[in-house]
Amino acid sequence: MNANNQYLTLFANCIPVKGASRSVICDTQHKRVKFIPNSMYDWIQELKSISIEDYQKELNENQIQITNDYIDFIIQNDFGFFCTKEELAWFPEYDGSYESPNEIENAIIDSDDSSNHNYQKIFSQLEQLGCEAIQLRFFDAIKFEQLNKILSHLEQSSIVSIDLALPFSQEWSNEKVKDALNKHPRIFQLTLTSFPATLDPYPNEHRANLVCSSKVIDSNSHCGIIDPKYFRLMKESMIEARDFNNCLNKKISIDVHGTIKNCPTMSESFGNIASTTLEEALNSNGFKTKWFIKKDDIKICQDCEFRYICSDCRAYTQNEDAYGKPLKCNYNPEKMEWKS
């Protein structure tokens, strides 16, 4: 390593996050997370305004060796690069502010056999609010023709992304799945729940992501699970998580009874879609309050190195505290352990 009077800076897609006992570098371009000691995180912050040579002037031989190891780690993992002081000005640090022109970014609509949603009306109202992504969750079996009719209302829609979850039934053969995904290219994920263990999962050979899960999901009570497989290694999502709640921000939901909520699992209601428009609910007193409960405000989460890539849940929290740790999170940032 030759860093004579040079500066070391991270690529914009590599975001360090400090936790209670260790830190991480989140590489949002290559979708990877690397653990680093907190001392290395502090060192990265100091190097933002000082050259490597100047930083090492007051260090002893052992400390210099440690910083050289840190530098090798950054370069070998392609997390950063050397530059001069003049060149450093060409790579300003991203200000980290999250902005969106849409009043609503995403929505969840739950349905079971008791539901009587007017999907055309709902989709139209979501479009007016700028919504681009929706999740449709069906807790009871739905026929192909019925689902096809619902999705037909989105054929000319500005909603560009559809996430579907529905229980497997004998009607949903591999051919039916292919037909649904080919007919509705806006579907980015289809999850078949209650998938029989005796049946081989359907091949994931589609443009959309196909998930065959044996898990029985028959209500919204299955929400809120915190697990590394749900981590979102996206720069925009990480920036949003610094300023807002990355689960509820700019989200609106309708439960199986038509009740408008922040999330279908939450108890607080802001009217019913039969008599209240989504815009009226959005502008109701208190609807946006939970949008601003960010991870740095949540107990225990604020000490977690995964907090900006982790999902959140305000429906299930410890001691029913609005700022409590998600009840279904089993990670201890102090011990760096996931409980089984």
Side-chain angles (χ1 to χ4, degrees), residues 133-187:
I134 59 171
Q135 183 179 39
L136 302 176
R137 304 190 301 191
F138 298 92
F139 301 132
D140 292 317
I142 181 171
K143 292 186 176 297
F144 176 80
E145 290 76 14
Q146 185 182 359
L147 180 64
N148 189 50
K149 182 178 180 180
I150 292 171
L151 296 182
S152 67
H153 298 306
L154 292 168
E155 290 180 357
Q156 304 299 321
S157 172
S158 59
I159 295 171
V160 297
S161 177
I162 306 169
D163 180 358
L164 284 176
L166 53 96
F168 172 84
S169 68
Q170 293 301 320
E171 183 188 19
W172 283 95
S173 64
N174 190 31
E175 290 305 313
K176 283 287 189 184
V177 169
K178 286 182 180 180
D179 288 346
L181 295 179
N182 288 333
K183 185 172 181 60
H184 304 286
R186 297 169 194 262
I187 299 174

Side-chain angles (χ1 to χ4, degrees), residues 36 80 101 109 126 130 173 176 215 236 247-248 276 313-315 318 324:
I36 60 173
I109 305 171
L126 286 173
S173 64
K176 283 287 189 184
K215 186 178 296 185
E236 295 79 6
C247 179
L248 298 178
T276 304
C313 180
R314 297 298 90 201
Q318 289 185 345

Side-chain angles (χ1 to χ4, degrees), residues 58-335:
E58 304 299 323
L59 303 184
N60 60 38
E61 186 174 338
N62 182 59
Q63 291 170 326
I64 290 174
Q65 181 57 53
I66 292 174
T67 60
N68 285 340
D69 290 342
Y70 288 170
I71 293 168
D72 290 340
F73 176 86
I74 294 294
I75 299 302
Q76 290 170 10
N77 282 282
D78 199 26
F79 288 146
F81 58 96
F82 296 119
C83 64
T84 65
K85 185 174 183 179
E86 290 73 23
E87 292 169 338
L88 190 64
W90 303 346
F91 307 100
E93 187 176 6
Y94 193 86
D95 65 9
S97 59
Y98 172 82
E99 295 180 358
S100 170
N102 301 332
E103 293 184 77
I104 288 294
E105 288 283 346
N106 62 91
I108 300 175
I109 305 171
D110 284 349
S111 176
D112 62 15
D113 283 344
S114 70
S115 302
N116 187 29
H117 299 326
N118 183 333
Y119 284 96
Q120 185 175 16
K121 172 184 173 183
I122 293 171
F123 295 156
S124 176
Q125 291 184 25
L126 286 173
E127 282 190 87
Q128 292 173 18
L129 295 173
C131 182
E132 296 182 348
I134 59 171
Q135 183 179 39
L136 302 176
R137 304 190 301 191
F138 298 92
F139 301 132
D140 292 317
I142 181 171
K143 292 186 176 297
F144 176 80
E145 290 76 14
Q146 185 182 359
L147 180 64
N148 189 50
K149 182 178 180 180
I150 292 171
L151 296 182
S152 67
H153 298 306
L154 292 168
E155 290 180 357
Q156 304 299 321
S157 172
S158 59
I159 295 171
V160 297
S161 177
I162 306 169
D163 180 358
L164 284 176
L166 53 96
F168 172 84
S169 68
Q170 293 301 320
E171 183 188 19
W172 283 95
S173 64
N174 190 31
E175 290 305 313
K176 283 287 189 184
V177 169
K178 286 182 180 180
D179 288 346
L181 295 179
N182 288 333
K183 185 172 181 60
H184 304 286
R186 297 169 194 262
I187 299 174
F188 90 91
Q189 178 160 307
L190 170 59
T191 302
L192 292 175
T193 62
S194 303
F195 198 84
T198 56
L199 191 64
D200 289 334
Y202 296 154
N204 196 348
E205 55 189 8
H206 314 281
R207 170 198 48 76
N209 187 33
L210 174 63
V211 178
C212 298
S213 173
S214 60
K215 186 178 296 185
V216 177
I217 300 179
D218 52 8
S219 73
N220 57 30
S221 64
H222 298 272
C223 289
I225 297 173
I226 307 298
D227 191 280
K229 64 174 174 275
Y230 301 132
F231 284 173
R232 298 183 65 195
L233 270 167
M234 299 170 57
K235 184 177 179 182
E236 295 79 6
S237 177
M238 291 189 68
I239 292 169
E240 181 181 16
R242 289 176 172 176
D243 298 328
F244 301 96
N245 186 279
N246 61 340
C247 179
L248 298 178
N249 184 46
K250 290 186 177 288
K251 172 177 285 177
I252 199 165
S253 303
I254 300 172
D255 72 6
V256 295
H257 306 296
T259 308
I260 305 171
K261 302 178 179 181
N262 290 111
C263 163
T265 314
M266 304 183 91
S267 58
E268 190 173 8
S269 166
F270 296 91
N272 191 286
I273 191 63
S275 56
T276 304
T277 68
L278 295 179
E279 184 175 14
E280 288 170 343
L282 176 64
N283 293 320
S284 297
N285 185 37
F287 186 90
K288 299 178 183 178
T289 301
K290 292 182 176 64
W291 290 9
F292 298 92
I293 303 178
K294 56 186 183 293
K295 287 295 181 63
D296 287 328
D297 298 329
I298 298 172
K299 297 165 187 174
I300 302 181
C301 291
Q302 58 193 259
D303 298 321
C304 181
E305 64 272 27
F306 302 122
R307 63 188 178 277
Y308 297 141
I309 59 174
C310 177
S311 58
D312 185 34
C313 180
R314 297 298 90 201
Y316 300 109
T317 61
Q318 289 185 345
N319 302 318
E320 297 184 356
D321 181 358
Y323 290 86
K325 176 186 176 182
L327 194 61
K328 299 183 183 182
C329 175
N330 292 321
Y331 183 65
N332 185 325
E334 292 281 349
K335 296 182 178 180

Side-chain angles (χ1 to χ4, degrees), residues 43-54:
W43 169 80
I44 290 172
Q45 303 308 309
E46 289 190 62
L47 283 188
K48 290 179 179 180
S49 59
I50 188 172
S51 71
I52 296 171
E53 182 178 7
D54 289 340

